[in-house]
Amino acid sequence: MSDVQREAMEYDVVIVGAGPAGLSAAIRLKQLDASLDVVVLEKGSEVGAHILSGAVLDPCGLDALIPDWKEKGAPLNVPVREDNFYMLGEAGHLRVPNWPMPPLMNNHGNYIVSMGNVCRWMAEQAEALGVEIFPGMSCSELVYGDNGEVKGVVAGVFGLEPDGSIGENTEPGMELHGKYVFLSEGVRGSLTKEVIAKYDLSKGKEPQKFGLGMKEIWEIDPAKHREGSVTHTMGWPLGKNAGGGSFIYHLENNQVYVGFVVHLNYENPHLFPYMEFQRFKHHPMVAELLEGGKRVAYGARAISEGGYQSMPKMVAPGVAILGCGVGMVNVPRIKGNHNAMLSGKAAAKAAHAAIAAGRASDELSEYETEVREGAIGKDLFKVRNVKPLWSKYGLTASLALGGFDMWTNTLGFSLLGTIGHGKTDAAATGEAKDHKPIDYPKPDGKLSFDRLTNVSYSFTNHEESQPAHLKLHDDSIPVSVNLPKYAGPSARYCPAGVYEFVTEEGKDPRFVINFQNCVHCKTCDIKDPSQNINWTVPQGGDGPNYPNM
């Protein structure tokens, strides 16, 4: 659609994504200079619609951005009151004591929150400062200037024909130009991916690593509810098949967040992450908690896990990448929202100074320096070896070595240096012939559920007449390569049942993409062993509509 004529609007800063990073940047820009024109574009139907709530939030990012957040009514209502760590076996569990944990693992002073509601509240603060926020506006293209700089984005394209062509009902959208563009799309954003490739921003860095996080919100028996309780587990059911673990957070109103993370560098293509999650809930410790309760929401998303050594260069002419687009999750803490907020604040500071100096569309190198040398870099540097140790040596060895390394890093040194990650998650996938299929029990409909039933609890919706936003580079590869060589892993790694291989008597297998089911987790874009799937944005407002709870 590059030949389409569109209207253009001019801003000082254009921000893509109303998550914690983007909203923090918008708020800080207006705090620094109320006259700046700032716009935030959000692909969800409302701010928070694409954030399945459930996190333990370190408030340091919010403290730095809005010090009086308590007085302003920020929805941080449940302080962490207890930390529990367990190693699970199939029928039992072993409590891991808190005392040997490095200080950074302590959740004292943190809060169990709905990040969807935190972002809704942050959007209110931003709008009160004069930030323009447009939900339901997917940003489908970057706009480049004459010198190759990022000049802006195209947003609000609706009504394309199913083949992607322009029809009589097509709304071509508009261009939003800025002196600087901030990409805060979250993990594996489509525009972020384009910028990283175009400017070779990952050169000299370790490959980014990812996990698939799946989450359900449950309402449980009040007698079993312990508001403020945080539990993490490792071990069963994954065992040696994959890295990962679970979290169980007790928030308000007898609600519990039940989550499960599978590291996407697993080798066995028969592994079914969603079913590992469902099986986990049948562990006696978890089943006892959930029995008599009801699941009220489900969702999934990829998590950046590469850490310090995988962060790409964050700036290019006219553009800066924020938050999870860079990969700022502290893996052992399972926390990244605080760093996302700090990154938005740092990017805003750099852009404000540049604009005040009469600059535009250049590289905000000051932002990158602040991230790498400031609080974010220090937070991630201490834990940089935990993920590669886990990947290379397994759970037990990584607990000992990783814990030791975190302790020494707390004291200011490391005997291990900085360990690399090696392969991408896609390249880590083994061939089906070298691995045994895994037999998963059928969901019982009480504690465990089939994928399509659970997807209905994400309240996802896509206009069916639009072009599929999940695009294949080569239509033949799923059946000619991925099915015979890897046993068609897309039918399993997708937590929403988007992909299936249909076999009919007397006919060759067909690869079907049910894009209407997509919950925007991006796993397919990451894990496909042939790197044949490209996740792009659908029409604005489409996708999950996670509840405001």
Side-chain angles (χ1 to χ4, degrees), residues 48-55 113-117 213-217 247 257-258 277 296-301 457-459 544-547 549:
H50 289 178
I51 302 175
L52 179 61
S53 307
V113 300
S114 157
M115 278 311 298
N117 285 344
M214 297 158 285
K215 191 182 304 178
E216 294 172 355
I217 302 177
F247 56 89
Y257 299 132
V258 182
F277 176 30
V296 296
Y298 164 76
R301 60 162 291 184
Y457 282 78
S458 70
F459 310 100
N545 286 280
Y546 295 131
M549 59 192 340

Side-chain angles (χ1 to χ4, degrees), residues 391-410:
S391 300
K392 292 176 186 293
Y393 303 113
L395 174 59
T396 304
S398 72
L399 282 175
L401 285 173
F404 173 76
D405 192 59
M406 283 192 287
W407 265 112
T408 59
N409 272 284
T410 300

